[in-house]
Amino acid sequence: VAQLSKQATTTMSGLPESDSPHQDVSDIFEDEPGPAWADSSDSTLRGIELTNAMEAREDRLVVWTTGLLLGLLNGSASPNGSPCGSRQSVIAGSSGSERSDADSASGRQLHDFMKQISVMYPESPYNNFEHSTVVAMFANKLTKQASVQVQGLTEDDKFFVLANPVAHFAIVLSALVREICRRGDSSNAVAEQNALQKIWDLLSGKDYALLFRTICATSADQELFHYILVECVLTPDLLCSKKRGRGFKRASNALPDPFVNEEDALAVDSEVMALIKLIIQASDIAHALQHWSIFSEWSERLYDQHNESFLVGDTDVNPAQNWYEYNLSFFQNIAIPLAETLRDRSLGEEHLVCALENMQEWQVTGREACAKLFLGKPSIPRKNSLAAETA
């Protein structure tokens, strides 16, 4: 929080890609004495220290995401450096001290809002707040690359919206919140919309009035922000098996959006929105489009989540039976085609290179990795286990 206060009173810029907030829990305490339970067999103390470490990690992620979003509010991500929303009027019409006070107040509100978002996430191995920050970091990178391409275009060009800091902020924020309502392999359209409505009501409510005005200075800003946020959050998750094979289009039987007005239904050209949705879906599987170590870590977490859903009876599919084939199919049918589309849209060829290398590595070492992954992990549904014990 002290770091945030310092950031909020100065000109913010997004953290560089090298300043990733992700590191091992042990790294949090690398400069501190060893935990009290280091030489103790007391499992209770060990659990307390581990909980404290995880809470410290989450707090650090909240501060990092706050800094990233504050940088977008100040326009550090836009090609022309223009600030987001009412930041323009604040800078133009305020003295230095007033500007600093506004920065501090909106920064505190943004930090508190992100803290609220973090606690909305369930305790899940994969779809959790930490993963949302991975998705947001990748979405920010791709949106930066897209915004660079529109430099030199006029405001009349439909793709010029990609250079709008309000649009950039909406894309990154949607990446941070869109996993909140997901659990395991289920995908409930009503739950998605209810969660989105809750987030919108929270952000636009009185507790974050200054923050909301900072993001959306005008009705046009609010229309753009609202439209992109809704469309991005409700974009299908390609990792959900129920939505595989549907490509990059929303399912035809999806429920109508409960709070998008007809007036703002064309706030963004459909071709531009398709590119934005591509960014979101690519960010969802960012772990597969980066180096092997990142993929292997999050693949194991995804397995744990699928396995947890199987154990509690949410699904009849046992991931241990086809995890090797699952990942191979994922690369062939989702990750690589999507990475090829990113390349074709000039959003980076390195993502395709990583996806191809990761698939090749999985073909060579995947079966051995699966054997190690399954070792020591339960594989019998709990209801079946309880029935056997009763018998």
Side-chain angles (χ1 to χ4, degrees), residues 19 46 54 57 60 63 131 143 162 222 232 243 245 268-269 273 280 304 343 373 382-383:
D19 287 346
R46 184 179 295 107
M54 297 306 295
R57 180 184 181 89
R60 179 167 53 81
V63 170
H131 185 254
T143 307
L162 295 172
Q222 182 172 335
C232 287
K243 293 183 178 179
V268 179
D269 181 87
M273 198 64 233
I280 288 296
D304 288 341
R343 177 202 59 192
L373 182 61
R382 291 170 190 168
K383 58 182 180 181

Short mmCIF file of all heavy atoms in Angstrom, two decimals, residues 19 46 54 57 60 63 131 143 162 222 232 243 245 268-269 273 280 304 343 373 382-383:
data_model
loop_
_atom_site.label_atom_id
_atom_site.label_comp_id
_atom_site.label_asym_id
_atom_site.label_seq_id
_atom_site.Cartn_x
_atom_site.Cartn_y
_atom_site.Cartn_z
N ASP A 19 8.77 -6.60 -15.27
CA ASP A 19 8.39 -6.49 -13.87
C ASP A 19 7.15 -7.33 -13.60
O ASP A 19 6.15 -6.83 -13.10
CB ASP A 19 8.13 -5.03 -13.50
CG ASP A 19 9.42 -4.23 -13.39
OD1 ASP A 19 10.50 -4.85 -13.35
OD2 ASP A 19 9.34 -3.01 -13.36
N ARG A 46 2.42 -24.16 10.59
CA ARG A 46 2.82 -24.20 9.19
C ARG A 46 1.68 -23.67 8.30
O ARG A 46 1.91 -22.91 7.36
CB ARG A 46 3.18 -25.63 8.79
CG ARG A 46 3.71 -25.76 7.36
CD ARG A 46 4.09 -27.19 7.02
NE ARG A 46 5.20 -27.66 7.82
CZ ARG A 46 5.08 -28.54 8.82
NH1 ARG A 46 3.90 -29.03 9.12
NH2 ARG A 46 6.13 -28.92 9.51
N MET A 54 0.44 -16.51 1.29
CA MET A 54 -0.49 -16.38 0.17
C MET A 54 -1.21 -15.03 0.20
O MET A 54 -1.45 -14.42 -0.84
CB MET A 54 -1.50 -17.53 0.19
CG MET A 54 -0.88 -18.90 0.02
SD MET A 54 0.15 -19.03 -1.48
CE MET A 54 -1.10 -18.80 -2.74
N ARG A 57 1.16 -12.47 -1.04
CA ARG A 57 1.28 -12.59 -2.49
C ARG A 57 0.09 -11.91 -3.17
O ARG A 57 0.26 -11.17 -4.15
CB ARG A 57 1.34 -14.06 -2.88
CG ARG A 57 1.47 -14.32 -4.38
CD ARG A 57 1.42 -15.82 -4.65
NE ARG A 57 1.55 -16.11 -6.08
CZ ARG A 57 2.71 -16.29 -6.70
NH1 ARG A 57 3.84 -16.18 -6.03
NH2 ARG A 57 2.74 -16.58 -7.98
N ARG A 60 0.37 -8.21 -3.04
CA ARG A 60 1.35 -7.71 -4.01
C ARG A 60 0.75 -7.68 -5.42
O ARG A 60 1.00 -6.75 -6.19
CB ARG A 60 2.60 -8.60 -3.98
CG ARG A 60 3.68 -8.20 -4.96
CD ARG A 60 4.98 -8.92 -4.65
NE ARG A 60 4.81 -10.34 -4.57
CZ ARG A 60 4.74 -11.16 -5.63
NH1 ARG A 60 4.83 -10.65 -6.84
NH2 ARG A 60 4.59 -12.45 -5.47
N VAL A 63 -1.49 -4.62 -5.68
CA VAL A 63 -0.70 -3.41 -5.90
C VAL A 63 -0.20 -3.35 -7.34
O VAL A 63 -0.23 -2.29 -7.98
CB VAL A 63 0.48 -3.35 -4.91
CG1 VAL A 63 1.45 -2.22 -5.27
CG2 VAL A 63 -0.03 -3.15 -3.48
N HIS A 131 -4.18 -15.95 -11.79
CA HIS A 131 -4.24 -16.22 -13.23
C HIS A 131 -4.81 -15.02 -13.99
O HIS A 131 -4.39 -14.74 -15.11
CB HIS A 131 -5.10 -17.46 -13.50
CG HIS A 131 -5.11 -17.85 -14.95
ND1 HIS A 131 -6.20 -17.64 -15.77
CD2 HIS A 131 -4.15 -18.41 -15.74
CE1 HIS A 131 -5.92 -18.06 -16.99
NE2 HIS A 131 -4.69 -18.54 -17.00
N THR A 143 -2.60 -5.39 -26.66
CA THR A 143 -3.30 -4.14 -26.96
C THR A 143 -2.32 -3.03 -27.28
O THR A 143 -2.57 -2.19 -28.15
CB THR A 143 -4.20 -3.73 -25.78
OG1 THR A 143 -5.07 -4.82 -25.43
CG2 THR A 143 -5.06 -2.52 -26.14
N LEU A 162 -8.59 1.67 -31.19
CA LEU A 162 -7.57 0.90 -30.47
C LEU A 162 -6.52 1.80 -29.82
O LEU A 162 -5.78 1.35 -28.94
CB LEU A 162 -6.89 -0.08 -31.43
CG LEU A 162 -7.79 -1.18 -31.99
CD1 LEU A 162 -7.06 -1.96 -33.07
CD2 LEU A 162 -8.24 -2.12 -30.87
N GLN A 222 -18.19 6.61 -21.49
CA GLN A 222 -18.91 5.57 -20.76
C GLN A 222 -19.50 4.54 -21.70
O GLN A 222 -19.47 3.34 -21.43
CB GLN A 222 -20.01 6.19 -19.90
CG GLN A 222 -20.76 5.15 -19.07
CD GLN A 222 -21.72 5.78 -18.08
OE1 GLN A 222 -21.54 6.93 -17.67
NE2 GLN A 222 -22.73 5.04 -17.69
N CYS A 232 -16.07 -8.11 -23.94
CA CYS A 232 -14.86 -8.88 -23.60
C CYS A 232 -15.13 -9.90 -22.50
O CYS A 232 -14.68 -11.05 -22.58
CB CYS A 232 -13.74 -7.94 -23.17
SG CYS A 232 -13.00 -6.99 -24.51
N LYS A 243 -17.49 -25.12 -25.16
CA LYS A 243 -17.44 -24.08 -26.17
C LYS A 243 -16.35 -24.34 -27.20
O LYS A 243 -16.11 -23.53 -28.07
CB LYS A 243 -17.22 -22.71 -25.52
CG LYS A 243 -18.43 -22.28 -24.68
CD LYS A 243 -18.23 -20.90 -24.09
CE LYS A 243 -19.45 -20.46 -23.29
NZ LYS A 243 -19.29 -19.14 -22.69
N GLY A 245 -14.59 -25.65 -30.48
CA GLY A 245 -15.11 -25.85 -31.82
C GLY A 245 -15.97 -24.71 -32.32
O GLY A 245 -16.42 -24.73 -33.45
N VAL A 268 -18.54 -0.02 -31.21
CA VAL A 268 -17.29 -0.42 -31.84
C VAL A 268 -17.63 -1.24 -33.08
O VAL A 268 -18.49 -2.12 -33.03
CB VAL A 268 -16.42 -1.26 -30.88
CG1 VAL A 268 -15.14 -1.69 -31.56
CG2 VAL A 268 -16.11 -0.47 -29.62
N ASP A 269 -16.94 -0.95 -34.18
CA ASP A 269 -17.17 -1.70 -35.41
C ASP A 269 -16.95 -3.19 -35.17
O ASP A 269 -16.07 -3.60 -34.40
CB ASP A 269 -16.20 -1.18 -36.48
CG ASP A 269 -16.38 -1.90 -37.81
OD1 ASP A 269 -17.22 -1.45 -38.59
OD2 ASP A 269 -15.67 -2.90 -38.02
N MET A 273 -14.09 -5.13 -33.08
CA MET A 273 -14.45 -5.91 -31.91
C MET A 273 -13.97 -7.35 -32.02
O MET A 273 -13.56 -7.96 -31.03
CB MET A 273 -15.97 -5.88 -31.71
CG MET A 273 -16.43 -6.29 -30.31
SD MET A 273 -15.84 -5.14 -29.03
CE MET A 273 -15.03 -6.27 -27.90
N ILE A 280 -8.45 -11.00 -26.26
CA ILE A 280 -8.93 -11.57 -25.00
C ILE A 280 -8.76 -13.09 -24.98
O ILE A 280 -8.27 -13.68 -24.01
CB ILE A 280 -10.40 -11.19 -24.76
CG1 ILE A 280 -10.51 -9.71 -24.39
CG2 ILE A 280 -11.02 -12.04 -23.66
CD1 ILE A 280 -9.83 -9.33 -23.09
N ASP A 304 -5.24 -29.81 -12.01
CA ASP A 304 -5.74 -29.88 -10.64
C ASP A 304 -7.18 -29.38 -10.55
O ASP A 304 -8.00 -29.93 -9.80
CB ASP A 304 -4.85 -29.05 -9.71
CG ASP A 304 -3.50 -29.69 -9.47
OD1 ASP A 304 -3.37 -30.91 -9.69
OD2 ASP A 304 -2.56 -28.98 -9.06
N ARG A 343 -0.24 -13.75 -35.48
CA ARG A 343 0.83 -13.43 -36.42
C ARG A 343 0.28 -12.74 -37.66
O ARG A 343 0.83 -11.73 -38.13
CB ARG A 343 1.56 -14.71 -36.82
CG ARG A 343 2.67 -14.51 -37.85
CD ARG A 343 2.97 -15.81 -38.58
NE ARG A 343 1.78 -16.34 -39.25
CZ ARG A 343 1.70 -17.57 -39.76
NH1 ARG A 343 2.73 -18.39 -39.67
NH2 ARG A 343 0.57 -17.97 -40.35
N LEU A 373 2.62 -36.11 -12.75
CA LEU A 373 1.50 -35.28 -12.34
C LEU A 373 0.47 -36.09 -11.57
O LEU A 373 -0.09 -35.63 -10.56
CB LEU A 373 0.85 -34.64 -13.57
CG LEU A 373 -0.32 -33.69 -13.34
CD1 LEU A 373 0.10 -32.49 -12.50
CD2 LEU A 373 -0.88 -33.23 -14.68
N ARG A 382 -15.18 -38.39 -4.77
CA ARG A 382 -15.40 -38.48 -3.33
C ARG A 382 -16.69 -39.21 -2.99
O ARG A 382 -16.78 -39.94 -2.02
CB ARG A 382 -15.42 -37.07 -2.74
CG ARG A 382 -14.05 -36.41 -2.78
CD ARG A 382 -14.11 -34.94 -2.43
NE ARG A 382 -12.81 -34.30 -2.70
CZ ARG A 382 -12.61 -33.00 -2.70
NH1 ARG A 382 -13.62 -32.18 -2.46
NH2 ARG A 382 -11.42 -32.51 -2.95
N LYS A 383 -17.72 -39.04 -3.82
CA LYS A 383 -18.98 -39.73 -3.53
C LYS A 383 -18.81 -41.25 -3.65
O LYS A 383 -19.37 -42.02 -2.88
CB LYS A 383 -20.08 -39.24 -4.46
CG LYS A 383 -19.79 -39.41 -5.94
CD LYS A 383 -20.92 -38.85 -6.79
CE LYS A 383 -20.63 -39.03 -8.28
NZ LYS A 383 -21.74 -38.46 -9.12
#
